[in-house]
Amino acid sequence: MAKKIEDKEQFVHSVFESIAPKYDLMNDILSFRRHKAWRKLTMRKMDMKPGDSAIDLCCGTCDWTISMAEQSGGSITGLDFSPNMLAVGSHKVKEKNLDRQINLIQGNAMELPFEDNRFDYATIGFGLRNVPDLRRVLSEMKRVVKPGGMVVCLELSKPTWQPFKGIYYLYFKQILPFLGKLVAKRYEQYKWLPDSLVQFPGRHELAEIFRETGLKEVQAYPLTGGIAALHIGVKEKLDV
């Protein structure tokens, strides 16, 4: 089991190291630019208040990290295991003059280097699908948020109604890898991304995993016909 986790970590690391320069462009292509609207909806649901803090796991090129910093004005930490992705994100953060507000660190989402009850929010966008142990990551997210804090996951999901489902899988499995080869010069990496979705739980299954982790008030929202989903859970408040 440990060997499988290590192998997946190494493989996923190599994938994102190689696609970092074209990641944002391919995100637009992959989601038909819908990922921007999904993030805006997520921010509305989160309803961050001035001064709220957050940790953004698998922060990648920092689009969501930056959005949270701009909305709350609080301290935001972005964590990713890919130096190349963080380099792209760091450039964006500096362009926005948010480098004093946003702290970017290289780290493992399954072993967060922070004490319990530190942040108001823990978020992960398009990263939970790629971790070796999603339950462990969700447990870590729950651990580091304050009582009453929010754990938020925005991720690709599995559409359930036809004919959209068939069209989506045709695009995702057959066309996307060739677009990856054409645009990003990476075929195998974008062939792997659809494969990573096969073993990932659907919207209802992931909501149940949130509950099994101990999160309360779990909400699951299908986005754009179910090709993505937003999951939100709240860490139980301590009894006074």
Side-chain angles (χ1 to χ4, degrees):
M1 182 65 176
K3 183 67 164 63
K4 286 185 178 180
I5 289 176
E6 183 179 346
D7 288 346
K8 181 169 183 178
E9 283 182 325
Q10 291 176 350
F11 178 72
V12 173
H13 184 271
S14 69
V15 167
F16 284 94
E17 282 288 271
S18 66
I19 68 176
K22 297 289 185 178
Y23 178 81
D24 288 338
L25 174 60
M26 286 302 298
N27 237 11
D28 285 346
I29 293 172
L30 188 154
S31 70
F32 302 102
R33 293 184 64 84
R34 293 303 299 161
H35 68 99
K36 297 179 184 296
W38 298 339
R39 283 196 178 91
K40 287 181 180 178
L41 171 67
T42 300
M43 293 299 294
R44 289 200 300 273
K45 294 291 184 184
M46 290 169 62
D47 191 26
M48 297 183 80
K49 300 297 190 291
D52 278 348
S53 63
I55 179 168
D56 187 20
L57 277 63
C58 305
C59 65
T61 58
C62 294
D63 281 349
W64 197 355
T65 321
I66 289 169
S67 293
M68 287 190 285
E70 290 176 334
Q71 179 163 329
S72 77
S75 174
I76 311 296
T77 298
L79 179 143
D80 202 283
F81 68 166
S82 167
N84 288 351
M85 295 287 278
L86 286 171
V88 176
S90 178
H91 180 71
K92 288 184 185 178
V93 168
K94 289 177 181 176
E95 280 190 331
K96 295 277 188 177
N97 294 316
L98 293 170
D99 44 316
R100 290 187 179 181
Q101 188 180 340
I102 293 175
N103 179 37
L104 299 181
I105 62 173
Q106 185 180 358
N108 188 334
M110 297 196 298
E111 297 178 7
L112 299 180
F114 299 101
E115 68 276 13
D116 298 355
N117 309 320
R118 165 105 177 238
F119 303 97
D120 296 299
Y121 294 83
T123 64
I124 184 165
F126 308 109
L128 194 62
R129 186 180 79 259
N130 301 316
V131 301
D133 188 340
L134 66 88
R135 286 174 173 81
R136 186 169 167 184
V137 170
L138 289 173
S139 293
E140 278 290 273
M141 294 173 76
K142 177 182 169 240
R143 179 181 67 79
V144 299
V145 294
K146 302 171 184 176
M150 195 175 286
V151 171
V152 185
C153 172
L154 178 60
E155 184 56 272
L156 296 177
S157 192
K158 300 174 181 179
T160 56
W161 54 275
Q162 296 287 10
F164 182 73
K165 178 180 177 181
I167 296 170
Y168 171 74
Y169 278 111
L170 173 66
Y171 167 74
F172 206 46
K173 292 182 178 180
Q174 302 297 328
I175 299 174
L176 176 62
F178 287 100
L179 289 174
K181 182 178 181 180
L182 179 67
V183 176
K185 312 303 181 188
R186 294 288 187 275
Y187 176 80
E188 289 300 325
Q189 287 83 351
Y190 281 94
K191 181 177 181 298
W192 172 78
L193 289 178
D195 294 342
S196 71
L197 187 59
V198 173
Q199 302 300 323
F200 192 70
R203 172 167 51 95
H204 297 297
E205 291 84 358
L206 185 56
E208 186 57 33
I209 293 172
F210 264 58
R211 295 184 186 100
E212 290 170 2
T213 304
L215 293 164
K216 308 298 182 183
E217 304 174 38
V218 175
Q219 303 171 72
Y221 303 91
L223 306 173
T224 314
I227 69 174
L230 167 63
H231 286 77
I232 297 174
V234 176
K235 183 172 179 176
E236 191 170 14
K237 292 183 180 179
L238 299 174
D239 292 331
V240 179

